[in-house]
């Protein structure tokens, strides 16, 4: 059932992490602060829990009302895994990295046609469609490390593509509109509630198309086809009979297989959520490794020297990391994240999920120096 603690007048807080997990006290205090908010019914902290701006990341919150701040500034952010018709053994990492660099540039396809085909209303942020974004977002070419359950449908010989991105500026603007006058909750059946949900649903569909276009661009660069394998959003609102469920950095446990990635220097895991999982986990599991150190504290900790930056541009498996922004390279260093093995161990020990396969990173694309690339293109 997790590590539960409840104070009179506060909603129950359930923690699904072991004593060996790297959980900051600030994140636990944020969980308790959320549980103190009137109308919040229950809170679940997952093993990737860490402090966030408006509340903890790596949690699920059940409430009577809609709280846009609980979803955060990237509604619809999620993971999409694609199986490629490309044999992993045929991939030459440096050559693949060179081909994949261009997906870090703006998408030059017909955005208007894509929006129309997916019945999405145009917005002021559509120029960002088909792009990865900053922070912890990425597009990663992967090879299968191990398959633990052959029935999962993973072809161990084929390469895979994992895309982590969201609604970009669209989601940020959505949150800003609703927190401009404070962090007030919205009644689900109110005019404001309906307006938020409509914009939220649009952002989720936009984010899904964004991941699809990123995968299409990557597959085109690698001269292969990408077949969707599984996908989910981990920043969203879901209506249930029990109340309004908010997921902030929490993957759904009621929608099939889920990828739980590690840092750029670690394995990613495909897990099957368990139907027998305790209901106090609020139908959610971890969405990734979770941060060990905040981004600002990583500046100066790593990447200060040329040799260290060269180290960060490679992973322990011999793969490449494409990130030409020095600050971002340091912020997203593997040392900034919790060991994914511990997160997965907690998911298993608390009966939330079982591992069906693991993947090793070959090429991780984050950001390139676009101005330099544009100069190269003009030559």
């Amino acid at each position: 059932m997790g590590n539960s603690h409840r104070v009179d007048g506060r909603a129950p807080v359930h923690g699904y992490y072991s004593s060996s997990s790297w959980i900051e006290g600030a994140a636990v205090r944020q969980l308790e602060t959320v549980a103190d908010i009137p109308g919040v019914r229950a809170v679940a902290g997952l093993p990737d829990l860490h402090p966030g701006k408006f509340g903890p990341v790596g949690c699920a919150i059940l409430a009577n009302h809609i709280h846009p701040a609980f979803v955060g500034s990237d509604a619809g952010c999620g993971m999409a895994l694609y199986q490629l018709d490309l044999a992993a053994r045929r991939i030459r990492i440096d050559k693949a990295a060179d081909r994949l660099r261009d997906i870090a540039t703006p998408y030059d396809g017909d955005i208007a046609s894509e929006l129309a085909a997916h019945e999405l209303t145009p917005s002021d942020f559509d120029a960002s469609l088909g792009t990865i974004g900053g922070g912890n977002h990425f597009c990663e070419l992967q090879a299968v490390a191990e398959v633990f359950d052959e029935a999962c449908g993973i072809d161990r010989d084929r390469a895979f593509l994992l895309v982590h991105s969201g609604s970009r500026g669209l989601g940020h603007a959505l949150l800003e509109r609703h927190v401009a006058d404070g962090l007030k909750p919205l009644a689900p059946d109110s005019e404001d509630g309906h307006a938020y949900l409509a914009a939220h649903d649009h952002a989720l569909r936009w984010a899904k198309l964004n991941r699809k276009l990123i995968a299409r661009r990557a597959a085109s660069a690698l001269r292969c086809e990408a077949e969707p394998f599984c996908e989910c959003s981990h920043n969203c609102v879901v209506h249930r009979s029990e109340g309004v469920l908010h997921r902030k950095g929490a993957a759904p446990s009621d929608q099939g297989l889920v990828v739980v990635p590690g840092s750029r220097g670690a394995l990613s895991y495909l897990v099957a959520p368990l139907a027998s999982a305790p209901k106090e986990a609020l139908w959610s599991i971890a969405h990734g490794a979770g941060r060990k150190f905040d981004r600002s504290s990583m500046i100066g900790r790593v990447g200060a020297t040329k040799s260290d930056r060269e180290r960060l541009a490679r992973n322990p498996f011999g793969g490449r990391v494409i990130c030409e922004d020095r600050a971002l390279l340091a912020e997203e260093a593997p040392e900034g994240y919790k060991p994914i093995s511990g997160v997965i161990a907690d998911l298993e020990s608390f009966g939330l999920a079982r591992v069906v396969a693991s993947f090793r990173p070959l090429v991780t694309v984050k950001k390139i120096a676009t101005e330099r690339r544009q100069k190269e293109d003009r030559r």
Side-chain angles (χ1 to χ4, degrees):
M1 182 167 156
N3 308 308
S4 304
H5 47 106
R6 183 169 189 165
V7 176
D8 288 344
R10 175 190 295 165
V13 177
H14 302 281
Y16 292 90
Y17 39 81
S18 63
S19 58
S20 61
S21 298
W22 188 283
I23 304 293
E24 291 186 54
V28 175
R29 290 191 292 275
Q30 283 188 333
L31 281 181
E32 294 170 345
T33 298
V34 167
D36 271 331
I37 296 174
V40 170
R41 297 184 182 182
V43 181
L46 299 159
D48 53 341
L49 184 74
H50 59 277
K53 183 176 181 180
F54 294 111
V57 180
C59 73
I61 303 161
L62 188 67
N64 294 333
H65 293 81
I66 301 166
H67 294 259
F70 292 169
V71 176
S73 61
D74 196 5
C77 183
M79 305 277 180
L81 181 68
Y82 292 81
Q83 189 164 251
L84 306 179
D85 63 344
L86 175 65
R89 68 179 182 277
R90 294 179 55 193
I91 294 174
R92 301 296 176 262
I93 290 177
D94 288 341
K95 186 175 182 179
D98 288 342
R99 289 181 174 178
L100 287 170
R101 288 182 80 256
D102 280 342
I103 68 171
T105 62
Y107 175 56
D108 60 1
D110 188 343
I111 290 177
S113 294
E114 293 290 350
L115 292 171
H118 292 81
E119 299 181 344
L120 283 166
T121 304
S123 74
D124 293 335
F125 305 95
D126 297 335
S128 297
L129 197 62
T131 62
I132 297 168
N136 61 352
H137 294 155
F138 62 86
C139 177
E140 188 166 274
L141 179 64
Q142 301 178 331
V144 176
E146 290 188 73
V147 176
F148 302 96
D149 183 355
E150 299 290 345
C152 70
I154 290 289
D155 184 339
R156 66 177 71 243
D157 295 323
R158 290 167 70 175
F160 284 76
L161 197 70
L162 180 61
V163 180
H164 175 205
S165 192
S167 55
R168 310 287 274 110
L170 183 67
H172 179 77
L174 170 60
L175 178 64
E176 290 299 304
R177 289 200 302 272
H178 287 275
V179 299
D181 298 324
L183 304 180
K184 56 184 179 182
L186 308 174
D189 57 353
S190 69
E191 183 177 342
D192 287 344
H194 287 305
Y196 175 79
L197 288 175
H200 163 278
D201 292 350
H202 177 261
L204 262 63
R205 291 166 52 225
W206 195 102
K208 186 172 183 177
L209 174 58
N210 189 41
R211 291 187 287 271
K212 179 180 179 179
L213 292 179
I214 293 169
R216 184 193 300 171
R217 297 180 69 189
S220 176
L222 295 170
R223 300 169 189 172
C224 65
E225 296 294 326
E227 177 185 351
F229 191 86
C230 65
E231 182 172 11
C232 71
S233 171
H234 49 238
N235 289 352
C236 58
V237 168
V238 179
H239 282 284
R240 297 184 61 93
S241 59
E242 297 86 354
V244 181
L245 177 62
H246 305 74
R247 291 188 174 110
K248 175 56 177 171
S253 64
D254 53 358
Q255 295 178 24
L257 297 174
V258 172
V259 180
V260 184
S263 70
R264 307 289 58 79
L267 298 176
S268 293
Y269 290 85
L270 182 66
V271 305
L274 300 178
S276 58
K279 64 180 181 180
E280 289 83 5
L282 301 180
W283 311 277
S284 302
I285 62 172
H287 79 310
R291 292 203 69 94
K292 183 177 180 180
F293 301 113
D294 64 61
R295 288 188 170 86
S296 62
S297 70
M298 293 303 295
I299 304 298
R301 188 189 296 267
V302 296
T305 65
K306 181 180 179 181
S307 61
D308 200 26
R309 290 192 294 274
E310 289 174 347
R311 173 186 68 83
L312 294 176
R314 290 279 180 179
N315 66 45
F317 306 94
R320 290 271 302 275
V321 177
I322 300 173
C323 182
E324 297 174 356
D325 181 320
R326 285 190 182 185
L328 185 61
L329 186 66
E331 291 168 1
E332 290 296 298
E335 295 91 329
Y337 285 84
K338 303 177 190 182
I340 188 62
S341 58
V343 172
I344 296 299
D346 282 351
L347 291 179
E348 292 181 314
S349 65
F350 284 104
L352 300 184
R354 62 181 177 84
V355 177
V356 298
S358 61
F359 304 86
R360 57 185 173 87
L362 300 179
V363 180
T364 305
V365 183
K366 295 187 68 65
K367 190 174 183 179
I368 66 169
T370 54
E371 289 185 5
R372 187 179 77 187
R373 186 51 177 246
Q374 288 168 356
K375 290 179 181 177
E376 291 174 352
D377 291 343
R378 288 195 292 266
R379 289 176 183 171

